């Protein structure tokens, strides 16, 4: 890492000053007391968007949806649609937003003559704690822990200029994808399809009592703790650094330049098409490799979403207001999605996992999305902050 980009650690004098002057932590997009409505809308749409992928993993959080063999027509259509517009897109968008939020927080602390690094570090440590609790006790598909690892990496580059941020971010993203591609060659394909012996074993395992499921999720989180520093940390960290650069460029206020938007559209079409071709291949190795192409294709599509939403919202608190409300409660809404989904597919109606097709899961996701878009504005009429956002803030503020 380039030492010139490191944030200064506090000495004894500044630590004392920090304790005396510490402000309450920011919400992720708060800047000098004002919220950026564009970023709230982006975050809300991203939180809603990831539900349409997570919903397939709400029972079996490791293998997810079991396809028919041979695949049915509706599944094929939805998988191709997902390859172009859904899969990986909103996680990438959230990562970009997270990086921009780190930069905003850092600049605000600097403006208040505070040492930013320990404040941000404390916030990220608590995010990791929430991720561990969520992953072990609620749903093993947690992303918070990956974000925490990645944020620690991105913290080292908060002082970098736009050119340096983009260059180093690209290095991290490409490097992580190369490592993932190599690891995918070592993975033996599992014959996980609807009605297979392995599928039936998984259904039984994830329909066990709660204590057994906690052990399964503990193993999954343990696996993630090993794999994140090798792969996802660098990929998501690179996206966070792109978020910092884009914020400095004004992309969250004005969108992308026309030439950049055209390049993103071309890249998204080519890479998404390649992903679709590989994902339907008869070769298990090519199917594994399609996941790498998917992650790469998600980046230009996430940037297109960023541009379109910024242009549609135009920093208005009225346009896309329900999505802005979800964005203000992003942490709470994300955990609520897990609680509802896990409760439905594991405890209330576990029989659904053996019968639902992709269309059915999408319809359920639409229903849950509508519920959050109704509840979030209603909640904000009476409270200024979400319950988990408030808890996070208090934990970070505690001396």
């Amino acid at each position: 890492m380039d030492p010139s980009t490191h944030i200064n650690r506090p000495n004894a004098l500044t630590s004392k000053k920090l304790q005396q002057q510490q402000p309450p932590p920011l919400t992720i997009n708060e800047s000098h007391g004002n919220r950026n409505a564009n970023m709230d809308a982006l975050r809300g749409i991203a939180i809603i968007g990831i539900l349409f992928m997570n919903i397939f993993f709400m029972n079996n959080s490791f293998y997810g949806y079991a396809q028919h063999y041979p695949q049915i027509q509706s599944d094929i259509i939805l998988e191709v649609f997902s390859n172009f517009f859904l899969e990986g897109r909103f996680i990438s968008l959230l990562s970009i937003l997270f990086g921009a939020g780190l930069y905003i927080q850092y600049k605000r602390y600097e403006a208040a003559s505070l040492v930013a690094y320990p404040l941000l570090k404390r916030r990220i440590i608590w995010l990791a704690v929430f991720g561990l609790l969520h992953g072990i006790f609620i749903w093993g598909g947690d992303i918070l822990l990956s974000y925490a690892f990645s944020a620690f990496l991105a913290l080292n580059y908060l002082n970098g200029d736009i050119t340096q941020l983009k260059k180093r971010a690209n290095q991290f993203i490409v490097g992580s994808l190369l490592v993932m591609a190599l690891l995918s060659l070592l993975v033996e394909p599992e014959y996980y399809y609807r009605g297979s012996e392995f599928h039936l074993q998984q259904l039984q395992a994830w329909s066990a009592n709660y204590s057994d499921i906690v052990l399964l999720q503990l193993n999954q989180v343990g696996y993630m703790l090993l794999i994140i520093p090798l792969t996802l940390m660098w990929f998501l960290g690179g996206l966070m650094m792109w978020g910092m650069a884009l914020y400095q460029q004004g992309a969250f206020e004005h969108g992308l330049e026309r030439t950049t938007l055209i390049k993103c559209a071309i890249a998204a079409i080519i890479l998404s098409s390649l992903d679709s071709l590989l994902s339907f291949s008869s070769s298990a190795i090519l199917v594994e490799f399609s996941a790498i192409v998917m992650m790469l294709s998600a980046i230009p599509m996430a940037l297109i979403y960023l541009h379109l939403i910024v242009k549609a919202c135009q920093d208005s608190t009225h346009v896309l207001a329900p999505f802005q409300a979800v964005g203000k409660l992003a942490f709470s809404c994300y955990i609520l999605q897990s609680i509802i989904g896990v409760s439905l597919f594991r405890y209330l109606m576990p029989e659904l996992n053996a019968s639902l097709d992709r269309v059915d899961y999408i319809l359920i996701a639409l229903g849950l999305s509508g519920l959050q878009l109704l509840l979030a504005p209603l909640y904000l009429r009476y409270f200024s902050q979400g319950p988990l956002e408030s808890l996070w803030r208090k934990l970070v503020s505690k001396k």
Side-chain angles (χ1 to χ4, degrees), residues 45-105:
I45 289 173
I47 286 292
I48 293 294
I50 62 173
L51 175 61
F52 285 83
M53 288 293 93
N54 289 347
I55 195 72
F56 297 107
F57 294 82
M58 287 300 185
N59 175 44
N60 182 340
S61 56
F62 197 85
Y63 291 97
Y65 179 72
Q67 300 183 119
H68 293 268
Y69 186 77
Q71 289 199 62
I72 60 176
Q73 191 68 28
S74 61
D75 275 11
I76 294 174
I77 293 172
L78 281 175
E79 186 170 349
V80 172
F81 178 84
S82 173
N83 290 341
F84 276 84
F85 300 106
L86 297 177
E87 194 164 5
R89 276 62 178 157
F90 298 105
I91 288 179
S92 296
L93 181 57
L94 274 176
S95 301
I96 292 169
L97 284 162
F98 200 103
L102 284 176
Y103 183 80
I104 292 169
Q105 291 170 323

Side-chain angles (χ1 to χ4, degrees), residues 209-246:
N209 58 54
Y210 178 70
S211 60
D212 290 335
I213 289 178
V214 167
L215 289 177
L216 284 175
Q217 294 185 156
L218 181 61
N219 289 332
Q220 187 173 349
V221 170
Y223 170 78
M224 291 302 296
L225 287 172
L226 293 175
I227 204 70
I228 288 171
L230 297 176
T231 55
L232 277 179
M233 180 180 78
W234 304 93
F235 180 78
L236 298 178
L239 289 176
M240 290 179 186
M241 291 160 63
W242 261 100
M244 298 174 190
L246 289 169

Side-chain angles (χ1 to χ4, degrees), residues 165-376:
L165 282 168
K166 290 181 178 180
K167 179 181 178 181
R168 192 56 57 89
N170 289 339
Q171 290 172 348
F172 289 161
I173 291 170
V174 172
S176 66
L177 292 177
L178 288 175
V179 172
M180 282 186 255
L182 292 173
L183 290 176
S184 67
L185 298 176
L186 305 176
V187 177
E188 294 185 7
E190 299 279 4
Y191 295 98
Y192 182 73
Y193 56 88
R194 188 73 59 94
S196 66
E197 182 179 354
F198 186 52
H199 174 230
L200 296 176
Q201 290 174 354
Q202 289 295 308
L203 281 178
Q204 183 177 7
W206 290 97
S207 299
N209 58 54
Y210 178 70
S211 60
D212 290 335
I213 289 178
V214 167
L215 289 177
L216 284 175
Q217 294 185 156
L218 181 61
N219 289 332
Q220 187 173 349
V221 170
Y223 170 78
M224 291 302 296
L225 287 172
L226 293 175
I227 204 70
I228 288 171
L230 297 176
T231 55
L232 277 179
M233 180 180 78
W234 304 93
F235 180 78
L236 298 178
L239 289 176
M240 290 179 186
M241 291 160 63
W242 261 100
M244 298 174 190
L246 289 169
Y247 183 83
Q248 293 181 52
Q249 288 182 185
F252 293 98
E253 295 179 0
H254 310 295
L256 305 177
E257 295 180 354
R258 180 179 176 83
T259 54
T260 302
L261 188 63
I262 293 173
K263 290 177 182 178
C264 286
I266 294 171
I269 292 170
I270 293 173
L271 292 170
S272 299
S273 299
L274 179 59
D275 175 25
S276 296
L277 289 173
L278 293 175
S279 63
F280 292 107
S281 170
S282 58
S283 168
I285 293 178
L286 291 180
V287 172
E288 288 289 334
F289 189 70
S290 71
I292 311 301
V293 180
M294 176 275 294
M295 295 178 71
L296 190 58
S297 69
I299 300 173
M301 197 65 215
L303 294 175
I304 292 171
Y305 285 156
L306 187 156
H307 175 84
L308 294 176
I309 295 165
V310 165
K311 290 298 185 181
C313 186
Q314 297 181 336
D315 208 20
S316 168
T317 56
H318 303 292
V319 180
L320 301 175
F323 291 98
Q324 291 171 4
V326 172
K328 293 174 183 177
L329 306 174
F331 187 13
S332 297
C333 285
Y334 172 70
I335 300 299
L336 180 61
Q337 290 174 2
S338 298
I339 293 172
I340 294 176
V342 166
S343 299
L344 176 64
F345 292 114
R346 288 186 186 165
Y347 306 113
L348 297 178
M349 303 179 72
E351 67 277 4
L352 293 177
N353 299 293
S355 61
L356 294 184
D357 299 327
R358 285 188 182 274
V359 172
D360 303 313
Y361 281 104
I362 293 296
L363 291 174
I364 292 173
L366 282 170
L368 292 179
S369 300
L371 179 64
Q372 290 196 312
L373 290 169
L374 288 173
L375 290 179

Side-chain angles (χ1 to χ4, degrees), residues 105-122:
Q105 291 170 323
Y106 174 59
K107 287 301 180 182
R108 186 192 177 202
Y109 290 143
E110 271 198 333
S113 300
L114 299 172
V115 184
Y117 184 85
L119 293 169
L120 294 175
K121 181 179 177 182
R122 192 183 310 167

